[in-house]
Structures are given as structure tokens and as C-alpha cells.
Amino acid sequence: MPTTPATAANSSSTGTAEAIMLELVDENGTTIGTAEKLAAHQAPGQLHRAFSVFLFDEQGRLLLQRRALGKYHSPGVWSNTCCGHPYPGEAPFAAAARRTYEELGISPSLLAEAGTVRYNHPDPASGLVEQEFNHLFVGMAQEQLRPDPEEVGETAFVTAGELAERHAQAPFSAWFMTVLDAARPAIRELTGPAAGW
């Protein structure tokens, strides 16, 4: 993984686990401080910066991932291609590319900004709260996936119709439809009208 000032400041040279810090923001997305990751998600939640990635194949199918069962937040549910949090001082675009590579083993191509969305989604199962200012990105998945099993339980490429069927039957992350709907204009621009997004 390329080292940037943000990733260097947030990696451990001793091999010990260090607290993961998130960037707290105001309603306009302006940085106002930092908080430890778990603390930021405990009710009522602290508004923090996040990102969501939507990658598609050449047929216009969306790459979904089912979160690994060992995840502390929303384990075992389906969600968008990749989501996470920039380190304090890390650009959301860089964080999105970094985490997509860490989780799925691919570097997205044609990755483009798709706006932002702010939401507050409590997770009934864990009691944690997603209070996020989320930066959205769309792009293409054009490499062989190499998912990290500690992060990703399963992957699937789905059409818009297949997604609707899956969403009606399987558990999805609390934030999934919010971020998908916010990203739809950019998704349609990337995939074209025939893909049905």
C-alpha cells in the first residue's frame, strides 16, 4: 500500500493495534476534530467523514460485498462495493481507493466523485449509530477480485433487477439504500440508460 502522511500517521510500526481515529465534521463537512472509531459510532453517534464506493463491470452490473462475520459493525450483511472512513487528513478519494484495494484486492478504474450525502442510521442489532457525512464514488472493477476474508464474506455482481430481488430477501446494511439513491445520477452517467440504474 502506498504510504501517505495520513496512512503513515495511522499505521503501527510495532505491530500493536492502535486506536483508529476518524475525522469529525460539522453539517457542512468541515473538519472540527477527531474521535476514536468505536466511540464515534456509539449512540447517539458523532457526525464523521465516511465514503462509499460503487464499482461496476463492463455489463453495468454492481459489485456487492457481504461483510465478513467478524466485523464489529453490521457483520454478515450485504452492502455496496466498499465503504469506510478516511484517516484524519486523508482525502476521501485516496481513502476510497486504499480501502477498495485492502478489502477486495483491486484498484478501481475511472473512479469519480459522485457527491455527498449526510445520514443518521441506527443499527438495531448492535446499537451502533451511523452518523455520517459520506463522500460517494463510482467507477469500474476491471481486475480479478482478491477479497480479504477478514473483511469480505462474499461478493456478487448484480443487475438493477437482481439487486431488487436480493434486497427483498437478504439483510443489507442500514445505509445501503441511502447511499445508492444519492449516487444514482453518477451511476447512470457511468453505466448508461440501458443498465437500468
Side-chain angles (χ1 to χ4, degrees), residues 12-35:
S12 171
S13 60
T14 62
T16 58
E18 293 183 9
I20 297 173
M21 302 302 288
L22 306 185
E23 211 169 71
L24 300 180
V25 299
D26 65 15
E27 294 292 336
N28 298 312
T30 303
T31 303
I32 58 171
T34 60

Side-chain angles (χ1 to χ4, degrees), residues 1-61:
M1 177 180 71
T3 302
T4 67
T7 57
N10 289 281
S11 62
S12 171
S13 60
T14 62
T16 58
E18 293 183 9
I20 297 173
M21 302 302 288
L22 306 185
E23 211 169 71
L24 300 180
V25 299
D26 65 15
E27 294 292 336
N28 298 312
T30 303
T31 303
I32 58 171
T34 60
E36 190 275 325
K37 184 177 179 180
L38 186 56
H41 288 88
Q42 289 173 338
Q46 298 177 72
L47 184 59
H48 57 275
R49 195 176 309 284
F51 64 83
S52 289
V53 178
F54 296 86
L55 298 184
F56 295 82
D57 66 8
E58 299 289 349
Q59 291 76 48
R61 297 180 303 168

Side-chain angles (χ1 to χ4, degrees), residues 4-170:
T4 67
T7 57
N10 289 281
S11 62
S12 171
S13 60
T14 62
T16 58
E18 293 183 9
I20 297 173
M21 302 302 288
L22 306 185
E23 211 169 71
L24 300 180
V25 299
D26 65 15
E27 294 292 336
N28 298 312
T30 303
T31 303
I32 58 171
T34 60
E36 190 275 325
K37 184 177 179 180
L38 186 56
H41 288 88
Q42 289 173 338
Q46 298 177 72
L47 184 59
H48 57 275
R49 195 176 309 284
F51 64 83
S52 289
V53 178
F54 296 86
L55 298 184
F56 295 82
D57 66 8
E58 299 289 349
Q59 291 76 48
R61 297 180 303 168
L62 171 62
L63 174 57
L64 298 176
Q65 71 155 277
R66 188 172 58 79
R67 294 164 63 85
L69 292 174
K71 302 279 277 185
Y72 81 95
H73 190 344
S74 302
V77 302
W78 288 93
S79 199
N80 49 295
T81 308
C82 179
C83 53
H85 309 91
Y87 293 131
E90 183 181 26
F93 185 93
R98 171 180 59 80
R99 283 302 292 164
T100 301
Y101 185 80
E102 290 171 358
E103 292 187 10
L104 295 160
I106 62 170
S107 297
S109 53
L110 302 176
L111 192 64
E113 294 183 18
T116 60
V117 62
R118 190 259 194 257
Y119 53 78
N120 176 0
H121 285 302
D123 176 30
S126 66
L128 299 175
V129 178
E130 289 290 1
Q131 186 87 252
E132 294 186 331
F133 188 95
N134 196 307
H135 298 256
L136 308 171
F137 298 93
V138 301
M140 303 291 291
Q142 297 178 307
E143 301 174 39
Q144 179 79 30
L145 299 178
R146 298 183 311 278
D148 177 350
E150 292 190 11
E151 298 286 346
V152 180
E154 191 178 347
T155 60
F157 281 97
V158 298
T159 65
E162 290 166 345
L163 173 62
E165 291 175 16
R166 187 179 294 248
H167 193 263
Q169 297 170 357

